[in-house]
Every structure is written in structure tokens, then in C-alpha cells.
Amino acid sequence: MGGECFLRLENIAKSFAENNVLKNVNFSIVPGEVRALLGENGAGKSTMIKIIAGVHQPTGGKIYIDGKETVLSDPKEGIKQGIAVIYQELDLLPALTVVENIFLGIEVKNKWGMLDKNRMNEKVQKYFDGMNISMDITAKVGELPIASQQMVAIAKAVEHEARMLIMDEPSSSLTNKELEILYKQIRLLKEKNVAVIYISHRLEEVYEICDTVTILRDGVLIDTRKVSEITRHEMVSLMIGREISEDRINMRKEFDAPVILSAEDICLHKLLKNVSFQVKKGEIFGILGLVGSGAIELGKILYGVIPADSGLIKVSEKPLHMKMPADALESAISYVPDERRAQGIFPLLSVEQNSVITSIRNYTNRFGFLDHKGVSVAFMEYVDRFGIKIASADQQIRFLSGGNQQKALIARTLLSNTDIIILSCPTKGIDVGSKFDIYSILLDCAKQGKTIIAVSQEITELVRICDRIMMLKDGEVYHEYTGDEISETLIYHDLLAEGRKKT
Amino acid sequence: MSTKENDMKNKKKVFYKDKGFGTIVVFILLIIVFSVISDAFLTVNNVMTILLQNSALVIMAMGMTFVIITGGIDLSVGGNMALCTICSSMLVRQYNLPIIAGVLICLVIGGMVGFCNGFCITSLGIPPLLATIGMDSVARGLAYIICGGATISNMPDSFKILGRGYIFGVIPIAAVIATAVVIIYVIIQNHTAFSVNTYAIGGNEQAAYLSGIKTKSHLRKIYVLMGVTCGLAAYINASRLGVGLAAVGSDMSFDAVTATVLGGTSIAGGSGKVQRAVIGALIIGVIFNGLTILNVQSFEQQVAKGLILILSIGVDTVRNRKEI
Ligand SMILES: Nc1ncnc2c1ncn2[C@@H]1O[C@H](COP(=O)(O)OP(=O)(O)OP(=O)(O)O)[C@@H](O)[C@H]1O
Ligand SMILES: [Mg+2]
């Protein structure tokens, strides 16, 4: 490395109204460098890259590109300078096709000035083939799963021949296989001397793909180090300024209680085949499965979002007939959706309204009027418990950092105070410290007799909190892990193993 | 707690950026301009006339705001008004019904048309724009069929009280009713779960569904409510005219949408405030009253009206784009 910086930030500051989000940040990156940007939820990572991209204007400081002072007045300017960004909240156009999205702004035209669709299709197809990604390139992006959308966003940056690529939590919805593809793409970009900024809350990824790491805390740049010279432990304490354990926090070896929820022979059109299981009252039950295993869909069936083709769900021995989520809630089941932006938040409503929306009926008097004070007290309790960073309760949720939005969604579910809580990918985008807090809260809930069903593809997460983990593979139950079987290495081994049933 | 302090600061700092603020400035400017140009404008009489003429529109804008907050639109209010007017005036004349019965007939018919809108939109999945345009034609056609195209005149005096009566000889009863409706709507908007759910549906329908809101039945209620408000507006309008006409309200859909959007309610859904739609409606009222006083022809007024709608939606769109 070494040589000329591609980008340098000098004393960059940013505040939104009274809220100082970035304070005197000095940062530089050279071509071909892969830099990790770490920090707690709300530390200012996304804000920093939005300044680099020209989305936000800094309130102080200077930006240098190739050593020349540059003002990035809007995103267009950033793109012109060769800066491509994959935002935390993907900004593809859902109604356009994959190809149209990738070539947006750099459309290939034939000699008549018309779009040369064949050429564009060919190029895109070649790219995805080269990456070993199967992709329907004429599908509308909005109809693709989030992971594929992520792949499209990366392809777009590559086609635009960026000199620097910034990725804001690209991995939060990817499976291991897709992660490999992502690494491959990053290495390719590195070879082409593209500078990369990589934001993630998963530290193992930093060791896998990054050369250097920069840590932000509360808007202050704490340190920049070589990845090879910093331990995981150091990274965490620099990030959150306190020590936390990353071991299993559920200390129960065995757990027994009456069954509260049982599912019998759940089938769903190719995705789920005769899945049966029982969950006990007060248990933390994990459903583990990669994308395509049917785990996410199973979570949705339990909450009445999609109907199963056949099978029976019973809560406390009573069969449930759910037509929609409202019915599930009436049977005391609540749910945290897996796609925060599409299914979770109401961007224009306040954080408070977002958090109480499912439980709002509990805060009305018999004339139907809202008890504003009660709402506010309940909400503030969760703000404190989760450490949700907000400027005020009236702040629109879209102005919160991604991780803080997710915390508000979990608060929403806990506020609805149901006996059974289903969480689909519960800690997507949440920092290491807050993860620990959320797990502790879930554990508390379980101790109070609430039943937790956590759907996830992260083994680590489930191993830390679950009493029992059910692994799904290709829509079938592979194995249920209890007691000493709950070990990361064992489960990881099984996840990759061939075969339909554990032998 | 320090968040309280932040609250105060935030509110103070950004009040002029508030979506409603520009509308209020425009409103005040209009009043100043017209009163400078014409002595006849800012008189008690004329102000009361403006209030009376626009009571129906203000009431209509209340229902429309809720509809637009959900991300929908109701373009059937004109036809709905005609149907309510004809049914109510014919029955009232035939059986010499009291005021309350006339009003009830309007509310029920209006609500029924609203229910049909809601049914087409939620159960059949027809986009609100198309469903309500269709319903507009159906309702107005029915109105003409029922009255055979004739004007329903010779109405009993009681029929004209709500639209032509004054309290203390100066304040139009219609304006008082409109004020009451506005107050009720503001209370619903600020203090009920119903309203929070309405904003939620407009902001992200899928998330609303997953949050346990019965989105379809909620939307049906919204359109029924719109229909009922429309019924009330229809009665007041007919009572002011003193006759039942199947041609009434031909501009009503247009005016109600304009008033709502002028008040800063985003046509994209998810945000808006009913009290601001009142200002929107009064802006329209003031412009027409002012132009009429200045002897501007109705054709030019038509042009002005179109420009206002385009301008206000344009501003809304630009503002939305900036916020991304
Ligand atoms: N447009 C905005 N208006 C007001 N405040 C904002 C805005 N954008 C961000 N903030 C605030 O700035 C702070 C930093 O947010 P940012 O999104 O940069 O955090 P982050 O480090 O990316 O966190 P995460 O890991 O959760 O994504 C947050 O407290 C957030 O509320
Ligand atoms: Mg972020």
C-alpha cells in the first residue's frame, strides 16, 4: 500500500439541528485499500459515508480527492468522482428490472440512439455467470429477495467503474454462500485498485476481507489500525468503551415446561415439508436455516402472514385459524419482521408511534381516546432499556440509524406484551454491545414465562440464547439440538453436511 | 429528562419549515392583497359570505384528508353529493320531513356510496383513482335518473335553515357546523388509535398489516367516513341553494383534493393534517371571492384553479424529492 491517498477527510463535522453526529473526523484511504468502518449503532458511520457520497453536506471541514479540495454538493458529483455507494437501505428502483437498474445513467445505446437491450443483457448475464450467481436479469428488482438485490447493487457499482466503493452493511442479509461471492467481488475490485470502505457489525468479516480498520464512537474517530495488529477483543472495547462477553448467556442446561405452541405437519408449496415441532412455555426456541430452507417462511406462517397449505398450529391445545396477523396478535403471538424497511418501519411516523403501533389499543380509554402519557411512559422505558438513540420521541423514525430503527421494532413487539414472541432475524444491523443487551432482555422475558421463537441464519446468535435449536434444511427438520449439543462448531458442521436427517 | 428539553428546542427551531407554514403565509398574503385592492373584501358581510360559501368544501376536505393520508383518493364526492342531494330533497319534499331526517338520509346515502368505494378498492383491488371515478359517474347518473333531470324546487322552509340561517343574525349556521366537524376531526386525528393506524397504512401498508392492523377493513371505514362527510356537505350545499339539483358538486372532487394538498397533505400518503386542509379550502374560497369582487370572469377563475392545483402538487413533489 502507501502512495497517494484517493480520499482524505480533514476535520469533518456534521450536525443535524442540535445533534452533533460527527466531530472533527480525519480519515484517508489509498487506492486498493479495503477499510473496515466500525462503530456502535448511531456512531455516525452511515452519516460519514453519506458525506463522502455527497448526500449530506458537512457542517465543517474539507474533503480532498486525489489531493485536490473537492466540494461534493450532491450525489451526482460523488458519482462523477468515481465514488459508488451501496446504502444500508438499498436505493435500487424496485419497479425497474435488474438490467435497467445496473445501467441506470450509463445506458448502452445503439447507433440510432435507442437502448441496446441485447448488449446490456449480455454484459449483465456475463457478469453474473462469471460470479456464479444465478439471477433472473429481466425480473423487477422489487420482486427479488433482499440478498439478490444486494448482488445487483454491487454489480451496478462494478459496471459504473467506480474508483471507490462504499458498502454500508452489505452482509446483513446475505448467506454464507453469498458472502463468499461478496468477498470475491471485493478482492476483484482490490486488484483493480479500487478503494473499498466496508461497514459491518460482524467482526469476523473484518478479519476475512479488510486490510485496515477505523473505529468511530459517538461521532469521534477513535483509531485506525492494521487488521493484522488488532485483536477482536480490542476492537470491541474501542467500539463500545466497555467489556462484554460474547459467550453463551443462557445458562439453563435443561429446560422443561408444558407445551404452549405446537405445529403439526406444516407444508408449504415446495418450501416446507411436514414440519412438526413443539415449543414449551418460557422456552427460547431457535429455528435455524439458511435462505431457501423455509425458516423465514415458517416464522411467517406462525404469525398468520402466509397461510400454510396444510398442517395444524395449536396454542395451548387450541387449534389456531389465522387469516392475518391481526388474528395472531389476538392469540397472543407477536412478530418482528425480517425486512426492516419493507415490512417494519413507518418512515414518516415518530419513533414513539412506530414503537407502540401494535399495542396502541392497550392505551386507549373506553371512548377510544389515546392515553398519550401512558404511551410515552411505556415507550421511554424501552428507550432506556435498549439504549435507543433518539433526539426526541417525536423524531421521525427514518432519521434514526439503522440499528436504532431495529431496536424500535423489537421494542414494538415487546410492548405488545404477548405470550409468544417470534423474531425473524432479530439483530440484523445491531452492534455487538446492543446485541448483548437485547439477548439479555429476551432472556428476562423468557424467565417471566414468555415464549421466544427466534428465526435466524446466524448460528452464533442462536447458540448464545436458545434452550433448543431446530435446524431446517430444504424445508425439512434436520435435527433438534438441546443441552450439550448446542455448540457452534457442531451445528456449523451439520449445517454444511450432506443428507436430509442427522444420523 | 433531557429529551423534553430537546423536544422544545426542536419544535422552536423548525416551525417555519413546517409543511403548513407556507400555506398560512400564502393565505395571509392573499387577504392583504385583496383588502388593499378592494374595500369590499374585508367586510364582516363578505367574510361571512366566504365562510358560508365554503362550509361544504371545508367539511369535504376533512374526509378527503384522511383518504389521502392512506395514500388513496376519492374522486366520487361530486357524484355522491348529487345523489345525496336528490334523494334527500325528493323525500323531504314528498313527506315534508324534518331537518334531522333530511340530514340522516344524506349521511346514509353518502356512507353507502363510500362503502361501495371501499369494497371496490379493498375487495376487488381496483386502484382508488379508477374505482372512485367510476363511482362518480354511477352516482351522478343515478341522481339524474331518480329526478328525471328536473330541479327539485318548492322545498319547505325548514329545508333551507341549515344553509341559509344565521346565528345572532351574523354567523352562518353552516359555518358553525363546519367548525364543529373540523373540531371533531382534529380530536380524532390527535387522540385516537384509529388515526395512528390511518397514518401507518399510508406510510407503509405492508408494515401496517404485519403490525396487526386490519388494513382492508380500516380502509373501508375510511371511505365510508368520507362518504358520510360528503353526505353532510351535500345537505348543507342543497340547503343553501334551496333546491335539489343533480348537477351540484361538479367541481367538488377537484376542490376537495386541491384544498387538501394545498394544506400540505402529501398525495403520496402517510402524512398530513386536517386543520391545514381548512386553510387550503379557505385559500380557494378567498381567491374566488376576491376574483369575483374584482369582476374576473369565471373562465379565468377556472384557469386560476387549475394552476393552483398543479402548483401545490408541484411544491409537494419537489419537497418530497428533497427529503430523500
Ligand atoms: N437526516 C438526519 N436527521 C437527523 N438526525 C440524523 C439524520 N441522519 C442521521 N441522524 C442521526 O445521526 C446519528 C448517527 O446516525 P448514523 O446513521 O450515521 O449511524 P450508524 O453509525 O450508521 O449506525 P447503525 O450501525 O445503526 O447503522 C444517529 O443518532 C441519527 O439519529
Ligand atoms: Mg448505518
Side-chain angles (χ1 to χ4, degrees):
Chain A
M1 264 176 290
E4 273 298 294
C5 293
F6 169 68
L7 169 92
R8 191 158 65 82
L9 304 184
E10 193 181 274
N11 290 327
I12 288 289
K14 175 72 188 173
S15 40
F16 295 102
E18 305 278 286
N19 190 359
N20 298 324
V21 175
L22 289 178
K23 297 155 202 160
N24 289 331
V25 169
N26 289 294
F27 175 95
S28 63
I29 185 166
V30 298
E33 178 179 357
V34 181
R35 172 77 59 89
L37 186 57
L38 300 183
E40 279 183 293
N41 296 131
K45 304 179 295 297
S46 297
T47 306
M48 178 169 144
I49 62 142
K50 279 183 187 156
I51 285 176
I52 299 176
V55 176
H56 289 323
Q57 302 311 309
T59 35
K62 291 186 178 125
I63 301 173
Y64 296 88
I65 292 178
D66 290 328
K68 271 208 302 287
E69 189 181 337
T70 312
V71 176
L72 300 165
S73 47
D74 56 31
K76 229 188 207 151
E77 195 62 36
I79 292 169
K80 229 167 72 193
Q81 298 285 352
I83 299 170
V85 187
I86 299 172
Y87 293 100
Q88 191 167 10
E89 318 294 354
L90 286 174
D91 64 338
L92 299 169
L93 299 172
L96 298 189
T97 67
V98 173
V99 176
E100 285 164 344
N101 262 291
I102 292 178
F103 282 98
L104 195 68
I106 53 162
E107 293 86 353
V108 179
K109 302 203 175 114
N110 63 17
K111 59 182 169 183
W112 311 108
M114 312 284 256
L115 291 184
D116 192 343
K117 289 201 175 148
N118 291 339
R119 274 255 303 286
M120 291 194 283
N121 288 354
E122 230 169 74
K123 264 179 107 170
V124 171
Q125 192 63 55
K126 216 171 104 198
Y127 171 83
F128 283 121
D129 288 348
M131 286 290 159
N132 254 331
I133 306 172
S134 71
M135 173 84 67
D136 178 2
I137 60 168
T138 52
K140 296 221 162 76
V141 160
E143 289 158 9
L144 298 175
I146 288 283
S148 304
Q149 294 191 17
Q150 200 84 52
M151 294 289 138
V152 174
I154 296 167
K156 181 174 167 184
V158 172
E159 284 302 328
H160 283 240
E161 298 192 338
R163 296 181 59 202
M164 174 157 94
L165 176 62
I166 305 177
M167 294 186 256
D168 197 351
E169 297 188 32
S171 57
S172 59
S173 30
L174 299 188
T175 62
N176 281 350
K177 187 172 148 251
E178 290 155 336
L179 201 58
E180 283 304 324
I181 296 172
L182 180 68
Y183 291 160
K184 197 165 136 194
Q185 283 173 318
I186 293 176
R187 290 194 189 103
L188 227 99
L189 290 170
K190 189 175 161 65
E191 268 168 35
K192 288 189 184 166
N193 238 359
V194 174
V196 176
I197 299 180
Y198 188 91
I199 300 179
S200 176
H201 289 294
R202 298 192 195 152
L203 304 184
E204 54 280 6
E205 292 170 3
V206 174
Y207 285 102
E208 181 71 36
I209 194 71
C210 300
D211 306 313
T212 47
V213 47
T214 291
I215 291 159
L216 275 181
R217 194 202 305 160
D218 283 331
V220 179
L221 196 151
I222 300 285
D223 206 354
T224 299
R225 300 266 200 96
K226 282 211 172 99
V227 169
S228 52
E229 290 167 8
I230 185 171
T231 65
R232 185 182 169 105
H233 194 76
E234 271 179 287
M235 265 195 243
V236 173
S237 50
L238 284 178
M239 245 165 79
I240 62 179
R242 62 176 166 146
E243 305 272 322
I244 51 146
S245 128
E246 291 197 81
D247 300 331
R248 183 168 159 87
I249 58 172
N250 181 351
M251 292 307 166
R252 305 194 286 216
K253 274 254 175 254
E254 263 170 51
F255 182 80
D256 205 22
V259 169
I260 181 161
L261 180 142
S262 72
E264 289 162 26
D265 291 320
I266 304 283
C267 292
L268 179 72
H269 168 80
K270 284 189 192 157
L271 278 169
L272 291 169
K273 291 162 214 143
N274 298 311
V275 173
S276 304
F277 59 91
Q278 298 187 322
V279 186
K280 298 166 193 157
K281 186 174 181 333
E283 185 176 36
I284 303 185
F285 182 74
I287 300 178
L288 174 70
L290 303 178
V291 172
S293 66
I296 303 256
E297 288 76 13
L298 185 57
K300 287 188 173 162
I301 289 174
L302 294 178
Y303 186 58
V305 184
I306 44 178
D309 294 342
S310 63
L312 187 63
I313 298 167
K314 287 198 243 171
V315 169
S316 312
E317 304 285 305
K318 276 202 295 284
L320 284 191
H321 301 285
M322 297 180 288
K323 284 209 205 70
M324 51 176 147
D327 299 335
L329 277 162
E330 254 157 48
S331 311
I333 303 175
S334 60
Y335 178 75
V336 178
D338 54 303
E339 288 179 18
R340 174 167 67 234
R341 192 153 84 135
Q343 308 171 346
I345 64 165
F346 303 102
L348 301 174
L349 295 188
S350 69
V351 212
E352 181 178 288
Q353 286 173 322
N354 263 285
S355 305
V356 299
I357 187 97
T358 9
S359 49
I360 199 149
R361 298 242 167 261
N362 306 342
Y363 299 101
T364 50
N365 65 16
R366 70 199 140 105
F367 305 111
F369 290 125
L370 278 179
D371 166 16
H372 292 290
K373 217 168 181 185
V375 167
S376 155
V377 168
F379 168 68
M380 287 314 291
E381 186 195 326
Y382 278 93
V383 170
D384 290 344
R385 277 173 80 179
F386 283 173
I388 305 180
K389 274 193 196 162
I390 51 172
S392 81
D394 296 335
Q395 195 178 20
Q396 288 186 344
I397 198 167
R398 64 193 166 127
F399 293 132
L400 258 55
S401 81
N404 283 303
Q405 292 176 4
Q406 182 73 12
K407 290 183 199 172
L409 290 191
I410 297 180
R412 176 194 292 173
T413 306
L414 296 185
L415 273 166
S416 56
N417 199 18
T418 55
D419 297 337
I420 301 174
I421 302 165
I422 303 170
L423 304 105
S424 199
C425 311
T427 55
K428 194 185 265 185
I430 286 186
D431 68 56
V432 257
S434 305
K435 261 186 194 169
F436 181 80
D437 298 339
I438 287 172
Y439 295 152
S440 311
I441 290 170
L442 290 180
L443 221 63
D444 278 349
C445 290
K447 277 182 197 141
Q448 288 161 20
K450 297 201 182 300
T451 308
I452 314 267
I453 300 178
V455 180
S456 178
Q457 46 172 311
E458 284 188 43
I459 300 173
T460 328
E461 167 162 296
L462 295 181
V463 164
R464 282 174 77 186
I465 55 169
C466 290
D467 297 300
R468 201 148 52 95
I469 299 173
M470 174 175 82
M471 189 194 292
L472 287 183
K473 266 192 192 181
D474 294 328
E476 289 181 77
V477 178
Y478 182 80
H479 187 66
E480 271 188 22
Y481 301 83
T482 45
D484 289 337
E485 281 178 322
I486 299 188
S487 111
E488 211 167 318
T489 28
L490 173 73
I491 298 179
Y492 189 69
H493 175 263
D494 282 357
L495 192 67
L496 301 181
E498 302 278 328
R500 305 214 135 170
K501 281 266 177 308
K502 188 169 167 81
T503 40
Chain B
M1 201 163 285
S2 69
T3 38
K4 272 276 149 56
E5 285 160 34
N6 276 341
D7 253 15
M8 304 290 283
K9 271 184 210 150
N10 278 354
K11 268 181 197 150
K12 257 185 219 149
K13 264 211 123 111
V14 298
F15 84 96
Y16 55 87
K17 281 191 188 163
D18 193 278
K19 281 191 178 179
F21 189 70
T23 322
I24 294 173
V25 170
V26 170
F27 183 55
I28 293 172
L29 281 180
L30 277 175
I31 292 177
I32 294 176
V33 168
F34 281 127
S35 16
V36 169
I37 300 179
S38 163
D39 289 339
F41 182 75
L42 209 59
T43 60
V44 173
N45 251 341
N46 193 42
V47 169
M48 290 306 159
T49 308
I50 294 177
L51 291 181
L52 175 59
Q53 281 172 342
N54 292 287
S55 298
L57 177 57
V58 167
I59 293 172
M60 197 72 97
M62 297 297 99
M64 190 62 85
T65 304
F66 266 45
V67 169
I68 293 184
I69 288 174
T70 67
I73 197 162
D74 189 345
L75 298 182
S76 72
V77 291
N80 193 354
M81 243 178 118
L83 186 61
C84 294
T85 304
I86 292 301
C87 292
S88 165
S89 55
M90 283 181 82
L91 287 169
V92 166
R93 191 179 63 177
Q94 184 85 19
Y95 301 105
N96 207 359
L97 297 175
I99 298 179
I100 182 75
V103 174
L104 272 180
I105 293 168
C106 279
L107 300 187
V108 169
I109 304 263
M112 274 165 27
V113 173
F115 181 83
C116 294
N117 281 329
F119 176 81
C120 293
I121 291 163
T122 59
S123 303
L124 304 182
I126 306 173
L129 185 86
L130 299 176
T132 56
I133 280 191
M135 198 54 66
D136 183 56
S137 183
V138 171
R140 192 175 298 281
L142 282 176
Y144 274 110
I145 293 172
I146 293 171
C147 69
T151 303
I152 316 296
S153 47
N154 294 328
M155 298 301 296
D157 284 343
S158 68
F159 184 76
K160 298 166 190 165
I161 291 178
L162 291 191
R164 292 185 177 180
Y166 287 85
I167 293 176
F168 310 130
V170 273
I171 308 168
I173 294 178
V176 175
I177 296 176
T179 310
V181 172
V182 171
I183 292 174
I184 292 172
Y185 261 94
V186 170
I187 292 176
I188 294 180
Q189 169 188 275
N190 290 348
H191 300 287
T192 63
F194 181 82
S195 140
V196 178
N197 290 351
T198 307
Y199 285 97
I201 290 177
N204 187 344
E205 190 166 344
Q206 200 188 358
Y209 180 69
L210 288 174
S211 307
I213 299 170
K214 295 175 178 162
T215 47
K216 285 190 175 177
S217 90
H218 192 91
L219 282 174
R220 277 197 290 271
K221 283 182 203 155
I222 293 283
Y223 283 94
V224 170
L225 196 60
M226 169 83 255
V228 171
T229 359
C230 177
L232 182 61
Y235 185 90
I236 287 179
N237 192 57
S239 165
R240 184 167 66 86
L241 297 176
V243 291
L245 270 177
V248 291
S250 54
D251 282 350
M252 197 38 110
S253 303
F254 186 93
D255 288 353
V257 172
T258 309
T260 307
V261 177
L262 264 180
T265 297
S266 165
I267 209 86
S271 68
K273 290 271 183 280
V274 286
Q275 59 270 35
R276 295 187 195 147
V278 176
I279 307 278
L282 290 181
I283 288 183
I284 297 177
V286 163
I287 290 180
F288 292 112
N289 178 277
L291 292 180
T292 311
I293 287 180
L294 297 178
N295 272 328
V296 176
Q297 297 299 308
S298 72
F299 301 130
E300 278 99 351
Q301 294 195 6
Q302 195 84 23
V303 174
K305 218 157 144 173
L307 288 179
I308 296 172
L309 178 71
I310 293 173
L311 213 74
S312 56
I313 293 192
V315 170
D316 174 48
T317 317
V318 170
R319 200 162 39 196
N320 272 344
R321 209 177 304 144
K322 272 207 179 139
E323 277 173 6
I324 287 175

